[in-house]
C-alpha cells in the first residue's frame, strides 16, 4: 500500500482552522500533519478545542517547522493547492486527478495548503512538483482551509469509501418497509370499502380495476408507518 499523503499547512493563521483541518484529515484516514511557522505559535488551545475528540491525536503528533523547505523532509512529490501560481511552469491537476496520482505514487507525497488570508506564495508553490486547482466559481475561487483539506482527503480516500453510506442506527418503524402480508391486508381494506362505495363500475371492468389497484399497492415502496396511515385515512373517510 502507498504511504498516505502528508498534510502541510504553511503559515496557518487561526488555531480553529488548524483544528478543523485535523478533523477533515481524520475523516478520510489522513493522520500526519506538519505545520510551518503557525502565526499564533504551537501548541494552540483553540486548535485542540476545534479538533474535538479523536482528531486531537492528529494535533498531538503534528510536527512544527520554521520553513517549508525543512517541512519537506522525506517528501519526494508535493502538490501545491492554489488558484494562483500559473506563471510557474508546472502541471496543473484537479483534486481528483492529483489524488489518483498520489494513490499510485511509490514514494512519499505531501499536499501543501497556504495561509487563510492569501494562500500559498509563489516561493511556496515553486517547491512543489505540481499545482492542484479546484474547478470552482472563477469569481470566487477561495476555499476555507478546512474545506480544502476535506476536499483533498475525500478525493484521496474515495476508492476505499463504501459506494453507499451504511446506517449505524436501528431503523425506526417509519423507515421499515411493510411486508407483503401488510400490503395484502391494505389492498383488501381498500377493495372492500371501494366495493361498498360502488367504485368498481361498470361490472365488466371491475376485475381489471381491482387488478390495477393491487398492482399499484405492490409498486409503492410503502413503510409500515405508511400502511397504518393509509388504513387510518380510509377509516376516517368512511366512518359515517
Amino acid at each position: 500500500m502507498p504511504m498516505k499523503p502528508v498534510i502541510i499547512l504553511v503559515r496557518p493563521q487561526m488555531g480553529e482552522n488548524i483544528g478543523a483541518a485535523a478533523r477533515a484529515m481524520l475523516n478520510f484516514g489522513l493522520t500526519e500533519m506538519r505545520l510551518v511557522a503557525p502565526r499564533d505559535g504551537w501548541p494552540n488551545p483553540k486548535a485542540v478545542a476545534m479538533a474535538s475528540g479523536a482528531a486531537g491525536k492528529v494535533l498531538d503528533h503534528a510536527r512544527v517547522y520554521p520553513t517549508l523547505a525543512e517541512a519537506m523532509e522525506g517528501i519526494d512529490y508535493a502538490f501545491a493547492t492554489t488558484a494562483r501560481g500559473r506563471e510557474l511552469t508546472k502541471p496543473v491537476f484537479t483534486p481528483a486527478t492529483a489524488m489518483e496520482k498520489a494513490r499510485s505514487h511509490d514514494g512519499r507525497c505531501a499536499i501543501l495548503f497556504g495561509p487563510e488570508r492569501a494562500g500559498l506564495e509563489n516561493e511556496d508553490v515553486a517547491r512543489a512538483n505540481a499545482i492542484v486547482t479546484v474547478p470552482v466559481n472563477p469569481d470566487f475561487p477561495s476555499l476555507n482551509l478546512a474545506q480544502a483539506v476535506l476536499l483533498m482527503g475525500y478525493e484521496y480516500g474515495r476508492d476505499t469509501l463504501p459506494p453507499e453510506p451504511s446506517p449505524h442506527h436501528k431503523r425506526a418503524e417509519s423507515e421499515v418497509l411493510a411486508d407483503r402480508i401488510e400490503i395484502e391486508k391494505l389492498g383488501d381494506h381498500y377493495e372492500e370499502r371501494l366495493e361498498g362505495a360502488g367504485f368498481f363500475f361498470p361490472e365488466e371492468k371491475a376485475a381489471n380495476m381491482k387488478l390495477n389497484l393491487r398492482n399499484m399497492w405492490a409498486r409503492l415502496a410503502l413503510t409500515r408507518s405508511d400502511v397504518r396511515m393509509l388504513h387510518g385515512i380510509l377509516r376516517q373517510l368512511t366512518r359515517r
Side-chain angles (χ1 to χ4, degrees):
M1 293 291 291
M3 298 182 73
K4 295 179 180 179
V6 176
I7 301 300
I8 301 180
L9 307 186
V10 181
R11 299 181 298 280
Q13 296 171 310
M14 298 179 63
E16 294 89 340
N17 287 335
I18 299 173
R23 295 180 65 167
M25 288 172 59
L26 200 58
N27 283 150
F28 300 102
L30 303 179
T31 57
E32 186 171 348
M33 173 186 283
R34 299 183 185 182
L35 304 172
V36 177
R39 184 190 66 182
D40 296 335
W42 195 257
N44 187 313
K46 292 182 178 179
V48 175
M50 189 65 185
S52 181
K57 295 179 180 179
V58 175
L59 300 181
D60 290 342
H61 296 93
R63 297 166 64 186
V64 182
Y65 297 83
T67 67
L68 176 57
E70 292 169 278
M72 299 283 273
E73 173 191 0
I75 303 299
D76 54 46
Y77 199 97
F79 300 93
T81 60
T82 179
R84 297 161 39 183
R86 296 297 184 92
E87 61 270 24
L88 298 174
T89 304
K90 292 182 186 295
V92 180
F93 301 125
T94 64
T97 303
M99 293 302 94
E100 182 180 356
K101 291 182 179 296
R103 286 192 298 271
S104 61
H105 186 68
D106 290 333
R108 199 74 196 277
C109 292
I111 311 171
L112 314 182
F113 299 87
E116 297 89 321
R117 185 181 61 83
L120 294 170
E121 300 292 341
N122 282 345
E123 289 77 8
D124 305 318
V125 177
R127 288 184 163 81
N129 300 83
I131 290 171
V132 182
T133 297
V134 182
V136 294
N137 177 4
D139 295 328
F140 189 66
S142 177
L143 289 176
N144 171 273
L145 176 58
Q147 291 174 332
V149 174
L150 184 72
L151 177 60
M152 298 299 289
Y154 170 77
E155 291 294 350
Y156 180 79
R158 65 187 305 173
D159 279 3
T160 62
L161 298 173
E164 295 292 339
S166 56
H168 296 288
H169 64 283
K170 185 177 180 181
R171 289 193 299 172
E173 189 173 7
S174 61
E175 299 174 314
V176 177
L177 291 177
D179 63 31
R180 302 323 300 170
I181 296 300
E182 291 168 320
I183 298 296
E184 191 71 19
K185 290 181 178 179
L186 179 67
D188 291 342
H189 190 187
Y190 270 77
E191 189 172 308
E192 176 190 348
R193 296 303 178 96
L194 290 172
E195 184 85 64
F199 176 76
F200 299 113
F201 180 84
E203 185 175 349
E204 61 270 21
K205 294 185 178 180
N208 194 52
M209 293 172 71
K210 291 177 182 179
L211 180 64
N212 288 337
L213 188 62
R214 290 285 176 177
N215 188 48
M216 182 192 75
W217 294 126
R219 283 200 320 269
L220 299 176
L222 296 173
T223 66
R224 289 179 173 174
S225 179
D226 295 333
V227 168
R228 284 204 310 272
M229 183 177 66
L230 288 168
H231 277 299
I233 289 170
L234 188 57
R235 282 193 293 268
Q236 187 67 24
L237 288 172
T238 58
R239 175 173 289 182
R240 295 184 182 179

